[in-house]
Amino acid sequence: MPIKQELLDQLHEKTSEAQLGGGEEKIAKRHAKGLLTARERLLALYTPNTFQEFGLHAQHDSRHFGMERKRLPGDGVVTGVGFVDGRPVVGISQDFTVAGGSLGRVHAQKMCDVMDHAARGGMPLVAFNDSGGARIQEGVNSLSGYGQVFYHNVQLSGLVPQIAVIAGNCAGGASYSPALMDFIIMTRENANMFICGPEVIRAVTGQQCSMEEIGSPQAHMNISGNIHFIAEDDVDAVRIVSELLSYLPSNNMMDPPHDLESELTLSHDPVLNDLLPEDPKHAFDVRKVIRQLSDRQRYLEIQKDFAPNIVIALGRISGVVVGYIANQPMVKAGALDIDAADKAARFIRFCNCFNIPIVTLVDVPGFLPGVQQEQGGIIRHGAKMLFAYGAATVPKVTIIMRKAYGGAYLAMCSRDMGADLVLAWPTAEIAVMGAESAVNILYRKELAEAEDKAGQRARFADEYREKFASPYLSAGQMFVHDVIEPGKTRSTVSLTLRSLLSKREARPPKKHGNIPL
Ligand code: HXC
């Protein structure tokens, strides 16, 4: 017997009504501001007709004070699963047109339900945040809801990739859900994120500040380091999410989407031979090396404007997805400081969680000297890099391009820190310290007596480089597996990555190590 038409009409009516969220007027207001609605954001992410929504008809508990006559379609959040490039991805998108996207009990339950779904199915999670925060009328139920969301974020961490988009307001404790995820993208014009806003800061501390200074995408990218990408708008944010996903496995049990059909590069690349400046003291842009090593010269740089003295990026070498960690000689001479160590350590751990081999490019004069660095805990922060590299069991390839001095040589994944392969270019200098400092210590007496001090200093520096810092010394002791011309780097790394694809490294079972935090 065919289903009754009136039941179908009722279904269509209820569905369209719920899909309208806060209504046409509120939607028009968003469009006028150049914003997409919550549902449009998800639809922009997914392949057409693949989005399966969960909880469209969910409703808040109307017994709460002040909510008796409120209709909150979907309880202010759109959740479900859809396909991106043929793979299922779980999505959450807060609907600002419904009670300001505020989070109540049912809203949180919808989020947690799809997060459980992501865990069970081994699917990445993408969450668009756009919310007035805890729903005031629901009191402690809202706080409990946040607690459950945070708990689920933690359970998903290391299991499936989690990507947050801050596409509107993200105030107070609400910002801890994105902070618990792997990557945060913020849209340039409409988004803000903070724990205490300017008014609270002024009332409690007397300090004057603007939202621009504490909660804007620029503040989080350049100063706090809380976010990873700034998107121009909602559509650009979706583009970044898709690009990011294209490098990531769906879960920790899978390999990342290597393109092993692509040709194994064995040819010499003369461009790599020309990238270093003649004078070892001159800076160069390490991103040129990353670009030249990457397939089709394409890579995705992460946290571009935070701690730019280290560059982190995702790319492919002969089809194998890799995470790059590279000193950037153009900023602070590539020295490691607190922010650089934090940035690199977290990325190393991300790569290790999701089976992404790590390629480390070294040109590091050392840890950055300074009172601020010492008092700020450079020991604790620098230790994070040592810990992260030492604990990572993914394939690790290190290329020493120029300087590799002191503790920073170790912190950039030397052989002793577990690198599977260490290559050095003939320009490499591997030593306890740089030539200038070493000459002052080793040749102090001779320098004091020398007539042409500058000339003598330069001659001593050359002697030091040859005697104590030559890459052949390290290669002679097997700290470096081979000294190669730069033009052979891509082919050598390609072969290594392919041969290490099924690397397995067993460690004794334990709950987890105790990374310095
Ligand atoms: C209930 C809320 C709400 C909230 C906004 N709305 N925030 N309803 N609880 N937290 C509702 C408004 O009443 C309004 O309803 C609609 O959403 C749109 O809000 P507007 O104020 O008109 O929009 P706008 O001018 O764009 O301002 C947006 C806003 C502002 C900046 C987010 O609404 C605001 O400051 N809201 C309160 C933010 C806040 O303090 N939240 C609690 C943070 S503490 P109508 O019916 O008129 O459309 C927190 C603790 C979390 O979140 C702890 C976790 C550990």
Side-chain angles (χ1 to χ4, degrees), residues 115-138:
M115 287 159 95
D116 285 338
H117 195 68
R120 281 193 299 269
M123 295 176 271
L125 171 72
V126 176
F128 292 88
N129 293 257
D130 189 352
S131 165
R135 188 173 298 151
I136 297 163
Q137 297 91 329
E138 293 198 35

Side-chain angles (χ1 to χ4, degrees), residues 220-252:
H220 287 302
M221 174 58 89
N222 299 7
I223 304 168
S224 72
N226 284 328
I227 68 167
H228 302 82
F229 300 93
I230 297 181
E232 293 310 316
D233 53 25
D234 289 351
V235 174
D236 192 38
V238 167
R239 182 194 61 76
I240 297 170
V241 171
S242 306
E243 193 174 349
L244 200 43
L245 287 171
S246 76
Y247 291 107
L248 309 183
S250 293
N251 59 64
N252 66 326

Side-chain angles (χ1 to χ4, degrees), residues 311-345:
V311 174
I312 57 173
L314 288 161
R316 280 188 180 80
I317 300 180
S318 282
V320 178
V321 174
V322 297
Y324 292 103
I325 289 135
N327 306 118
Q328 173 57 287
M330 297 215 305
V331 184
K332 298 179 183 169
L336 294 177
D337 60 3
I338 289 171
D339 287 345
D342 281 2
K343 173 176 165 180

Side-chain angles (χ1 to χ4, degrees), residues 26 70 96 99-100 102 132-137 143 146 150 169 171 173-174:
K26 286 187 172 167
K70 285 222 181 233
F96 192 79
S102 58
R135 188 173 298 151
I136 297 163
Q137 297 91 329
L143 296 182
Y146 271 116
F150 301 163
N169 297 294

